[in-house]
Amino acid sequence: MKVKKIYKYLMISFGALLLGSCTSTEVDAKFDENATERLSGRKKELNDLLLSSADGWKAVYYTDSTQLGGWTHLFKFLPKGEVDMASDFTKSDGNTDTGIYRSQYEMQMGSTVSLVFTTQNRIHLLSDAGNSPTAALLAKGYLGDFQFYYYGQKNGEIIFRTNRNGHFLRFVKATAQDWTDLAKNKPMIKSLNGDMFSPLFRLMETNDGTATHKFEFDYNTNARFGTAYSLEAGSQEAYDLAFAFTPTGIVSKLPVIVKGQELTNFIYDSATNNFVATGTNGVSATLKFTNAPPTVTDDYKLLLSGKGNPQIVVGYIAANLATAPTTSDYFRYLVSRLNASLAAGQSLSRIQMYFNTAANQTYINYQFVGKTAVNHIVTSSEDPVNKTIILTNLGWATGATAADVALLREIDNELTNPKGLYIKKESFRITYSNPIYTLASASSSFRMTTYQL
C-alpha cells in the first residue's frame, strides 16, 4: 500500500509539473520575445541597408535563365516605405520604358524577413501571369516575383531569395551613372531585336583562332533568350544564351565556349550591326543578321522554266496568311501601304504565282476585293550559287493600266528583285492541308507565305 501511495503522489506531482510548464506564460513570453527580437533586428538591419546607399541599388533579375534572359532594375529606397524604381523591361509592342516610378514597399516578418513591393511598379511586369513571353509560359508570365526573402549581406551586396522559385537575387550598390545609363540599354535592345527592315535571319559565328564555325541563331525578343545550333554536318554543338542588356551591348548569363574560353560579353559594333564577344588568341563569337537563310534549299528548282517542271501555282491569301508567323512584317507593311492607296471598299485579297503553265508562261496574278485582277508576265532563271530564283519582267498583261503598275510597284519590285527569291517548302500547315511555300527576298526582309494551290 505504501508503494502504491508513493507512486500515486509521484504521478500527481509529475502532472502538476507538466501543467505548470504548459501554462507558464513567463517561459513562453521569453521564447516569443527572443524570436521577435531576432526578426525585428533583421528587419531593422535590412531597412537600414536599403536606405544606406545614396544612389540606391541595382539588380539584374534572371527569373529563370534556362528559358529567359535578365532585366535590369534600379531601386532608390526612401523613408516612409516609398521606393523609386526603373527597369529596361520591353513590352510586346517594342517599347522600352526606362522612366522612374514611385511605389510602396514593406518589410514583412514570417519565418524570416522579406522585402515586399506592395504596390504596382516595374518589378511587377515580371510577375504578371497575363504577360507571357512564350507559349510555354502561358498564364505564368515571366516567372518573376515581388517578394524577396532576406538572406544577409556579403561584400557590400544584399542577398535575397525569391518567393516563387527560390532563386538567389543580389542587390549591388547603384551609382548615379547607373541611373543615367539605363536608357542607353534601349538602342542595344533595338539593335538585337531588329525591326521590320532588318534582315530576317540571324547567325552566330565562332572563331577558334584558326577556323570559323556557323550556327543558326533563334532568338525570342520578348524572352531575351536565344539558342544557337551548329550548321556543320554531323555536329551536335548548340548553345543557349540568356541575355541582359548594357549600354555597350549584351551579356549572356550562359557562356559560349570556344577553345576552352567562356565568352559572355558581346559588344555592339555599329559599323556592322553585329555583337561581338572577344577572347584571346583570335577567339571570338559574333551575332549577326543575314538576308540569306542559314539553311538554303533547292526548292526553287521546282519552279524554274525550261527544266521540264510541271505547272505549280502558289498563292498568298490575305484572309489566311496575313498573320502567318513566316509572313514578314515588311511584307505586311507593303500590303497595308497598297491597301491605303486603293479606293474605299477595295483591298488586296491574293497574290497568285503561276509557274510553267500549259502555255509555258510564268506570271504574277494580283487579285483584289472590288477591283479587277492584274497580271504581270515574267520569266524565271536561277542563281545556282546562292540558290535563288530570279523573276524578270516580260511586260504587264492587257488591261493593266499605268495606275495599276504604280500601285503594285513596291510589292512587285520585291518579287522581281535582281538578287532573286529564296524558296522553301515548309514542313508545317496553316488552316488547310495544302503545302506551304515561303518566298523570301535575297536583298531585303520581304517574305511572303503561300499555299500550293
Side-chain angles (χ1 to χ4, degrees), residues 59-60 70-74 86-91 95-99 122 125 182-183 185-186 189 224 243-246:
V60 180
W71 287 265
T72 300
H73 287 76
L74 295 170
S87 82
D88 67 351
F89 182 87
T90 304
K91 293 184 178 180
N95 179 47
T96 303
D97 181 1
T98 57
R122 312 305 291 164
L125 293 169
L182 187 63
N185 292 5
K186 293 197 287 185
I189 294 169
R224 296 189 175 180
F243 290 134
F245 290 89
T246 73

Side-chain angles (χ1 to χ4, degrees), residues 209-235:
T210 57
T212 298
H213 306 276
K214 293 187 176 183
F215 298 76
E216 181 175 356
F217 183 56
D218 292 332
Y219 179 64
N220 183 308
T221 59
N222 292 325
R224 296 189 175 180
F225 193 86
T227 303
Y229 306 92
S230 174
L231 291 170
E232 296 177 1
S235 175

